[in-house]
Amino acid sequence: MKPKHQRLIFIIVGILCVSLSLSLVLTAMDDNIIFFYSPSEIAKAKQGEYVRVGGLVEENSIKKLPENKTKFTITDYKDSIVIEYQGILPNLFREGQGIIASGIKQDGDIFYAKELLAKHDENYMPPEVAKTLEKNKK
Amino acid sequence: MIPEIGSTLIISAMLTSILQSIPAKKNAHKFSFISMFIALASFLLLIYAFIASDFSVSSVYLNSHTAKPFIYKITGSWGNHEGSMLLLAILIIIYGNAFYVFSNSGKKFKERVLNIQGMLAAIFLAFIFFTSNPFERIEPTPKNGLGLNPLLQDIGLAIHPPLLYIGYIGFSIVYAFAINIMREKNPSKNWIALLKPWVVFSWSFLTIGILMGSWWAYRELGWGGYWFWDPVENSSLMPWLSATALLHAVIVGFKRDILKSWIILLSILTFCLSITGFFLVRSGIVTSVHAFASDPTRGIFILAILLGLIVVALTIYALKGNKFLSTKNLKFFSREGFITLNNMILLCLLGTVIIGTVYPIILQVLNIDNITVGPDYYNKTFNTISLILLFIAALVPSLKWKNNKLKDILNKNLIPLIISLSSILAIYYFTEIKNNITIISLFFSLWIIITLFYIFIARVKKSYSRDFIAMATAHIGVAILVLGITISSEWQQEKQLTMKKNQTIEINQFNIKFDGITLLAKDNYLAKKGNFSIYEKDFIANLSPELRYYPIQNKVTTEAAIYYSIFSNIYIAIGEDDSAGNYAVRVYYKPFINLIWCGAILMALGGFLSIKTKRKK
């Protein structure tokens, strides 16, 4: 076999590997894309979808409930949404902080968060949240 | 005064680096040496500014405070964007010098490599001087600084960037080498042997750097996790995958004198992925737990550098790359055949990570959608594809170079397979694993370990060679790493609850009693320390997780407490108390998680062992 032909075989095997991986990727990606919504957009999300919602924690909205639960409201200066979370709060969680909550969207006013994301720097605002705030300030 | 000297030194180092990159004079190594001293002096002045708490210097103001413990004042100098860029530039220069001193390449070749190194150093130093000067001043001088993020006040995190950078920047030499080997009219016959030590050294440090980052996250972030498929973590994994492919390609190339073009392309790719890593982390383009303060100008500058590197390298490859095309064939059923397959699989893995990381960025930049890729994507793609890699690693030690007979291979693997298979059946019978990937990972990992020990014990010829020991160490490291990941994921237990004083909970075979809270006051924080005692039948240990409040930054951190035993970790984190004085507690039982750290260390150790290559006879 000429080296040139073997190179061709390599390329074909390579393309095969890539195609198989791509098909894996496409199937996995479909099920695992998590959309981000601001409080004013969250109505767009489908019921039962696992989504992320982000905004600023509203002043005086944090309430501690029994069983390690916390209820608070986040806003994007246009709309707000009530979030309930069970578990230890992230360290940066406080009023005025940019927070992203992820969970399954259900009917009703409360968003039950499975995870809360807050970065470890008080100067940080998740870019998605910042963008929405900018848009709504105008 | 001192900061101005620091700035001047940066621009001087840039100038000497530019002089270093001029090919005509053949004294690149002298300029490289001078640049090193100038740049180091600059960095020492930066450290001095941090120690002296000179808050007229912007980066000191933003990242330090008089109350910060001394050692963290020092480590804070590289724990921020500007300081870390300076560290990167210094490493580029040091690697140039190291290459000149330690490499056995010809003098002319070394000069040319240093020309490229000089260009790289000059570009980085220009970037620093014009967009990220650590010595930038602020007026008027503040009384005190904004303090350092308490999460960064940890030894693990202080070492993690330098180790990682030693890994990343090592590939600058690999890149410079590749560029110049293409330009050589008559490349020396053993150029792969000359390249190999630099690939292996950099890979080993990259491995340790990533390990340290994971270990830090495990201890510090309070959730018992060590890898989150976070874009910043991915940006260190991507060059690592490419580097691993390169490492294996170089081994094959050294032995059989093939895959040379491939090695050159991988050399270019790995360094470019390192630079891409910087771009992702520092341009503000990703939401991440880790991302540095963002600045779009920096992002554009880095992107421009990246494009320049790619265009230059690929142009040279297009013009001059064909002298490396193989004249030999390889057979699939051989060691080199399977290692080539390993390279293809590694690139597929790289592809899945690139897609998962970049796809959301593209959607966001084009304002189409705002998405995150969930971790399960990686479980389905990366974890599945890596099973093939494990299979190859298990099979290859029994494969000879050039050619093999199926019967021989089956014979060699019979006993290891019997042992692994029976172990897996036993595990399956006693524990009922539901996840297929878990079973397969365990099987392949066991097979890898047993095969290597089997070869060693059966005293096969050459099994005591340094190369074999290095390979065995690294691959056993991989198997142990996979075992650690698989076992701790599959059998981990977690309990989240509120506990009152003297309450006990049970987790796996342990009983954990909450003995109450003590209050502490330290240098720069106040803490609520949770006192827990662990019992099995008898008392085993105390654990004291803390909830710390840093008044200067108005910031709270959780310090998890971990009990390390050989077979498992008990991991406890506490949260706030509720109105009744009960505390939120999170307890994890993590079986065999220490295998992860041990495995990674063995991998790096294997790397270090294989740096010195035997001369080919």
Side-chain angles (χ1 to χ4, degrees), chain B residues 301-411:
Chain B
F301 204 125
I302 300 180
L303 204 52
I305 297 177
L306 181 61
L307 285 173
L309 289 172
I310 298 176
V311 166
V312 165
L314 289 183
T315 315
I316 301 182
Y317 184 79
L319 298 172
K320 308 219 171 178
N322 53 5
K323 64 163 95 59
F324 293 103
L325 290 176
S326 275
T327 45
K328 278 189 259 193
N329 281 341
L330 60 85
K331 288 205 168 19
F332 177 61
F333 201 38
S334 64
R335 189 172 282 191
E336 59 263 37
F338 271 81
I339 296 184
T340 307
L341 184 62
N342 141 304
N343 265 216
M344 293 197 195
I345 303 291
L346 279 165
L347 288 187
C348 289
L349 288 173
L350 176 63
T352 63
V353 178
I354 291 180
I355 293 178
T357 313
V358 170
Y359 182 53
I361 296 178
I362 296 182
L363 288 185
Q364 188 183 308
V365 165
L366 297 178
N367 263 318
I368 299 177
D369 257 326
N370 211 317
I371 63 160
T372 314
V373 173
D376 208 44
Y377 158 80
Y378 294 98
N379 290 335
K380 292 209 174 90
T381 53
F382 192 92
N383 295 9
T384 321
I385 300 176
S386 26
L387 292 176
I388 308 179
L389 214 55
L390 291 177
F391 166 68
I392 298 176
L395 189 60
V396 163
S398 55
L399 288 173
K400 291 186 302 193
W401 296 100
K402 294 195 200 162
N403 209 349
N404 289 277
K405 293 204 190 79
L406 185 59
K407 212 173 56 163
D408 291 335
I409 300 302
L410 288 175
N411 276 331

Side-chain angles (χ1 to χ4, degrees), chain A residues 1 6 34 36 52 91 120, chain B residues 149 329-330 370 372 553 556:
Chain A
M1 184 192 315
Q6 187 167 67
I34 305 172
F36 171 86
R52 297 169 107 200
N91 296 324
H120 308 275
Chain B
N149 188 336
N329 281 341
L330 60 85
N370 211 317
T372 314
Q553 293 104 318
V556 172

Side-chain angles (χ1 to χ4, degrees), chain B residues 74-111:
Chain B
I74 298 181
T75 66
S77 59
W78 64 74
N80 59 83
H81 169 74
E82 294 80 4
S84 66
M85 290 303 303
L86 187 54
L87 182 58
L88 287 171
I90 291 174
L91 283 170
I92 294 180
I93 302 175
I94 292 182
Y95 262 107
N97 288 321
F99 184 76
Y100 187 77
V101 170
F102 292 110
S103 180
N104 290 319
S105 316
K107 261 233 163 81
K108 254 198 225 163
F109 186 74
K110 287 201 259 195
E111 279 284 311

Side-chain angles (χ1 to χ4, degrees), chain B residues 134-180:
Chain B
F135 293 104
E136 213 168 270
R137 294 270 223 170
I138 45 179
E139 287 272 312
T141 307
K143 276 259 168 81
N144 219 323
L146 296 179
L148 183 62
N149 188 336
L151 270 171
L152 302 183
Q153 291 183 41
D154 173 271
I155 273 298
L157 196 63
I159 314 181
H160 155 65
L163 290 174
L164 210 49
Y165 297 162
I166 296 178
Y168 284 142
I169 301 295
F171 291 104
S172 69
I173 281 287
V174 169
Y175 174 88
F177 193 107
I179 297 274
N180 282 302

Side-chain angles (χ1 to χ4, degrees), chain A residues 1 3 6 17 21 24-25 32-36 52 68 85 87-88 91 94 119-120 122 124 127-128 131, chain B residues 149 151 287-289 291 327 329-330 348 367 369-372 374 376-377 496 553-554 556-558 584 586:
Chain A
M1 184 192 315
Q6 187 167 67
C17 287
S21 318
L24 252 176
V25 162
N32 287 294
I33 292 189
I34 305 172
F35 284 88
F36 171 86
R52 297 169 107 200
N68 218 355
Y85 173 71
I88 296 180
N91 296 324
R94 56 173 183 268
K119 212 203 125 199
H120 308 275
E122 72 230 351
Y124 176 80
E128 303 97 319
K131 234 204 265 180
Chain B
N149 188 336
L151 270 171
T287 311
S288 159
V289 176
T327 45
N329 281 341
L330 60 85
C348 289
N367 263 318
D369 257 326
N370 211 317
I371 63 160
T372 314
D376 208 44
Y377 158 80
Q496 275 210 53
Q553 293 104 318
N554 195 21
V556 172
T557 63
T558 17
R586 204 163 47 226

Side-chain angles (χ1 to χ4, degrees), chain B residues 261-562:
Chain B
S261 292
W262 184 236
I263 289 174
I264 292 176
L265 286 172
L266 279 180
S267 302
I268 298 170
L269 179 65
T270 309
F271 185 53
C272 290
L273 286 171
S274 303
I275 303 282
T276 311
F278 298 142
F279 171 66
L280 286 179
V281 175
R282 290 150 200 277
S283 61
I285 207 170
V286 285
T287 311
S288 159
V289 176
H290 278 77
F292 283 79
S294 68
D295 186 347
T297 4
R298 290 172 180 166
I300 295 177
F301 204 125
I302 300 180
L303 204 52
I305 297 177
L306 181 61
L307 285 173
L309 289 172
I310 298 176
V311 166
V312 165
L314 289 183
T315 315
I316 301 182
Y317 184 79
L319 298 172
K320 308 219 171 178
N322 53 5
K323 64 163 95 59
F324 293 103
L325 290 176
S326 275
T327 45
K328 278 189 259 193
N329 281 341
L330 60 85
K331 288 205 168 19
F332 177 61
F333 201 38
S334 64
R335 189 172 282 191
E336 59 263 37
F338 271 81
I339 296 184
T340 307
L341 184 62
N342 141 304
N343 265 216
M344 293 197 195
I345 303 291
L346 279 165
L347 288 187
C348 289
L349 288 173
L350 176 63
T352 63
V353 178
I354 291 180
I355 293 178
T357 313
V358 170
Y359 182 53
I361 296 178
I362 296 182
L363 288 185
Q364 188 183 308
V365 165
L366 297 178
N367 263 318
I368 299 177
D369 257 326
N370 211 317
I371 63 160
T372 314
V373 173
D376 208 44
Y377 158 80
Y378 294 98
N379 290 335
K380 292 209 174 90
T381 53
F382 192 92
N383 295 9
T384 321
I385 300 176
S386 26
L387 292 176
I388 308 179
L389 214 55
L390 291 177
F391 166 68
I392 298 176
L395 189 60
V396 163
S398 55
L399 288 173
K400 291 186 302 193
W401 296 100
K402 294 195 200 162
N403 209 349
N404 289 277
K405 293 204 190 79
L406 185 59
K407 212 173 56 163
D408 291 335
I409 300 302
L410 288 175
N411 276 331
K412 285 191 207 170
N413 280 293
L414 192 61
I415 296 187
L417 273 173
I418 292 177
I419 302 179
S420 330
L421 219 44
S422 20
S423 313
I424 286 296
L425 288 171
I427 295 176
Y428 187 69
Y429 179 70
F430 283 110
T431 63
E432 284 182 42
I433 310 170
K434 292 161 222 117
N435 189 340
N436 287 330
I437 296 189
T438 304
I439 302 175
I440 303 177
S441 313
L442 290 178
F443 172 58
F444 285 147
S445 312
L446 287 173
W447 184 15
I448 293 176
I449 298 176
I450 295 171
T451 267
L452 287 167
F453 275 109
Y454 180 67
I455 295 178
F456 192 83
I457 293 172
R459 287 183 182 259
V460 172
K461 188 177 74 165
K462 279 207 236 164
S463 40
Y464 294 87
S465 74
R466 181 210 285 265
D467 281 345
F468 175 79
I469 305 261
M471 181 271 275
T473 311
H475 283 190
I476 291 179
V478 174
I480 292 180
L481 173 77
V482 172
L483 283 174
I485 295 176
T486 315
I487 297 178
S488 63
S489 317
E490 183 72 29
W491 286 289
Q492 133 174 318
Q493 291 178 34
E494 173 186 346
K495 296 219 157 129
Q496 275 210 53
L497 69 163
T498 10
M499 288 183 87
K500 48 181 180 286
K501 188 167 172 179
N502 291 326
Q503 188 181 343
T504 306
I505 59 161
E506 210 181 298
I507 190 162
N508 213 57
Q509 76 263 38
F510 298 99
N511 288 311
I512 305 192
K513 181 156 151 278
F514 179 37
D515 297 318
I517 297 274
T518 10
L519 299 174
L520 298 174
K522 289 284 172 107
D523 281 355
N524 51 345
Y525 65 88
L526 303 165
K528 287 183 187 155
K529 186 170 79 152
N531 300 301
F532 291 85
S533 0
I534 308 178
Y535 296 84
E536 208 171 328
K537 289 180 200 106
D538 303 313
F539 172 77
I540 297 183
N542 283 319
L543 278 184
S544 313
E546 292 176 17
L547 201 54
R548 289 185 187 171
Y549 174 63
Y550 289 80
I552 300 152
Q553 293 104 318
N554 195 21
K555 198 181 304 262
V556 172
T557 63
T558 17
E559 295 289 311
I562 307 177

Side-chain angles (χ1 to χ4, degrees), chain B residues 110-309:
Chain B
K110 287 201 259 195
E111 279 284 311
R112 289 173 134 193
V113 168
L114 283 182
N115 290 144
I116 304 272
Q117 249 352 59
M119 249 184 271
L120 292 172
I123 293 174
F124 269 71
L125 288 163
F127 174 76
I128 293 170
F129 189 77
F130 293 110
T131 74
S132 323
N133 193 339
F135 293 104
E136 213 168 270
R137 294 270 223 170
I138 45 179
E139 287 272 312
T141 307
K143 276 259 168 81
N144 219 323
L146 296 179
L148 183 62
N149 188 336
L151 270 171
L152 302 183
Q153 291 183 41
D154 173 271
I155 273 298
L157 196 63
I159 314 181
H160 155 65
L163 290 174
L164 210 49
Y165 297 162
I166 296 178
Y168 284 142
I169 301 295
F171 291 104
S172 69
I173 281 287
V174 169
Y175 174 88
F177 193 107
I179 297 274
N180 282 302
I181 202 75
M182 287 196 279
R183 298 170 56 212
E184 292 277 287
K185 287 200 191 66
N186 291 312
S188 92
K189 289 270 166 181
N190 68 337
W191 66 266
I192 299 181
L194 295 170
L195 176 61
K196 182 174 163 206
W198 302 95
V199 172
V200 180
F201 184 82
S202 313
W203 176 90
S204 305
F205 269 95
L206 196 52
T207 307
I208 297 186
I210 297 177
L211 160 69
M212 283 268 102
S214 266
W215 191 53
W216 171 82
Y218 175 69
R219 289 181 303 114
E220 284 302 309
L221 294 183
W223 297 89
Y226 49 86
W227 190 262
F228 307 89
W229 294 112
D230 178 275
V232 168
E233 289 171 321
N234 291 351
S235 64
S236 66
L237 186 60
M238 293 190 273
W240 185 87
L241 289 167
S242 173
T244 307
L246 177 58
L247 178 78
H248 286 84
V250 156
I251 290 171
V252 169
F254 172 69
K255 198 71 189 202
R256 299 275 292 125
D257 206 41
I258 51 175
L259 299 185
K260 289 180 280 201
S261 292
W262 184 236
I263 289 174
I264 292 176
L265 286 172
L266 279 180
S267 302
I268 298 170
L269 179 65
T270 309
F271 185 53
C272 290
L273 286 171
S274 303
I275 303 282
T276 311
F278 298 142
F279 171 66
L280 286 179
V281 175
R282 290 150 200 277
S283 61
I285 207 170
V286 285
T287 311
S288 159
V289 176
H290 278 77
F292 283 79
S294 68
D295 186 347
T297 4
R298 290 172 180 166
I300 295 177
F301 204 125
I302 300 180
L303 204 52
I305 297 177
L306 181 61
L307 285 173
L309 289 172

